[in-house]
Amino acid sequence: MDQMLKQATTKVAGGDHSDTLAYADDVGLIACSASELQDSINKWCSALKDNGLKLNEAKSEVMVVSRVPETVRIIANGRELNQVVEFKYLGVVYDSTAIKETAVNDRINKYSMNVGMLYPLLKDRHVPRAVKVLIYTSILRPILTYGCEAWTLTSAAKSKVQAAEMRVLRLIKGVTRRDRLRNEDIRAELQVKSILQFIEDTQMRWYGHMRRMTPSRAAQRWWIWKPKTTRPRGRPRKRWMENIKEAVESRGYTLKEIQQSALFQDRGEWRNFVTDRP
């Protein structure tokens, strides 16, 4: 089935898969207009049919990303696809308004649910603290930070993520907020890296990975893509590159200096740069 899906993708995209996100049988199509999306859907339906496959119209959904609600009508095999305001692709939640905190809030909810299931174990005084820390770093933290490479963290989002982190670390240490202990002291005693530093390092590694990509790669193409429309009035939303700029400057460099250097080409050097903090 994977081979047939690959053949269908090649036939539709003509070798250029930059507008098609495909993983196993989960396929996402990106288009700048309803007409472009309808054309891609028609090509996919035809290519799938030629390879003995069929698009599942009941499970296929359409979402318009815009600050202003917009309705589109997309037809596949004679059936109108359902338009949604939020959907999940490969475990990451996206919404139609492109609010950056949607994915963060979803991960915090997943994290809190798993903390609840592990609460008796984390609370048990007979379980060694080292085991509890291992549970946090190997189970809970990956749940919380899944997909964090693409997060754009505002001050409010950072506060939410840090609060979720400290809720577990205080539980492991056996203290509450009433004990008035500093977060840094708790992390130092447990020997756990700050969740915000962990996310920053992860995003920096992903940034270096994208810089090494060829322009034909989907991630590289959509990273440098710029919309043709102008920004609406009012304060602009924080962008992902602003997080990267702050991370670079915290290491004593400017983003321009890093972009002009050949530091990205060597993975080892870039990894050392990412982990090198003042």
Side-chain angles (χ1 to χ4, degrees):
M1 182 175 177
D2 290 344
Q3 184 62 28
M4 290 190 291
L5 186 60
K6 183 177 181 180
Q7 291 175 357
T9 305
T10 303
K11 181 176 180 180
V12 173
D16 180 11
H17 307 161
S18 55
D19 296 338
T20 302
L21 307 176
Y23 181 82
D25 60 343
D26 291 324
V27 179
L29 303 178
I30 303 174
C32 294
S33 66
S35 59
E36 288 183 13
L37 180 58
Q38 183 65 72
D39 183 56
S40 296
I41 289 290
N42 294 339
K43 290 180 179 179
W44 262 96
C45 290
S46 176
L48 290 172
K49 183 178 180 180
D50 293 343
N51 287 273
L53 302 174
K54 184 179 183 298
L55 179 71
N56 189 329
E57 300 88 5
K59 292 184 177 181
S60 300
E61 298 174 335
V62 179
M63 187 180 77
V64 179
V65 180
S66 173
R67 295 193 181 191
V68 180
E70 181 180 345
T71 302
V72 295
R73 189 168 183 265
I74 304 297
I75 308 298
N77 295 326
R79 177 174 177 175
E80 183 176 354
L81 301 184
N82 181 39
Q83 183 172 345
V84 297
V85 296
E86 183 178 292
F87 82 103
K88 180 179 294 186
Y89 183 71
L90 300 183
V92 179
V93 175
Y94 304 87
D95 77 337
S96 58
T97 59
I99 296 177
K100 306 299 189 300
E101 292 187 21
T102 300
V104 177
N105 292 336
D106 178 69
R107 297 321 305 176
I108 291 176
N109 291 337
K110 294 284 193 306
Y111 170 85
S112 298
M113 181 178 63
N114 283 273
V115 170
M117 291 188 291
L118 292 169
Y119 182 85
L121 188 62
L122 296 172
K123 189 72 172 178
D124 194 336
R125 296 182 180 275
H126 299 290
V127 177
R129 180 178 292 181
V131 174
K132 296 179 181 180
V133 172
L134 183 62
I135 291 173
Y136 168 73
T137 57
S138 61
I139 299 177
L140 295 176
R141 188 170 65 184
I143 293 174
L144 177 60
T145 58
Y146 178 79
C148 70
E149 292 87 347
W151 288 357
T152 301
L153 289 177
T154 60
S155 297
K158 289 180 179 179
S159 179
K160 290 180 180 180
V161 172
Q162 187 169 253
E165 169 205 25
M166 294 310 303
R167 187 165 68 248
V168 172
L169 296 187
R170 290 194 192 96
L171 183 61
I172 293 174
K173 181 172 170 53
V175 298
T176 66
R177 296 182 63 182
R178 294 179 180 178
D179 293 299
R180 309 290 293 179
L181 295 178
R182 294 175 60 86
N183 294 345
E184 293 80 3
D185 296 337
I186 296 176
R187 295 192 194 100
E189 183 175 341
L190 298 178
Q191 297 182 345
V192 174
K193 178 189 291 188
S194 164
I195 191 71
L196 296 181
Q197 289 184 2
F198 180 84
I199 293 173
E200 179 182 291
D201 293 350
T202 303
Q203 291 186 341
M204 288 287 285
R205 287 195 298 270
W206 174 244
Y207 175 63
H209 182 59
M210 284 200 301
R211 287 300 303 268
R212 292 190 295 271
M213 289 181 182
T214 60
S216 61
R217 297 281 297 276
Q220 172 74 259
R221 182 178 183 274
W222 287 107
W223 173 49
I224 63 177
W225 175 81
K226 295 183 182 297
K228 298 179 181 179
T229 57
T230 58
R231 284 182 178 270
R233 298 176 66 179
R235 181 181 179 181
R237 294 176 176 175
K238 187 175 183 178
R239 296 177 295 176
W240 183 79
M241 277 304 299
E242 293 180 37
N243 282 348
I244 300 300
K245 180 181 178 182
E246 293 171 0
V248 169
E249 291 177 348
S250 70
R251 290 164 173 79
Y253 295 84
T254 65
L255 186 59
K256 186 176 181 179
E257 290 174 342
I258 294 299
Q259 290 174 338
Q260 293 176 347
S261 69
L263 191 60
F264 300 102
Q265 305 307 319
D266 190 305
R267 293 184 181 181
E269 288 188 14
W270 180 248
R271 189 181 300 111
N272 292 336
F273 174 78
V274 170
T275 56
D276 183 20
R277 292 179 175 275

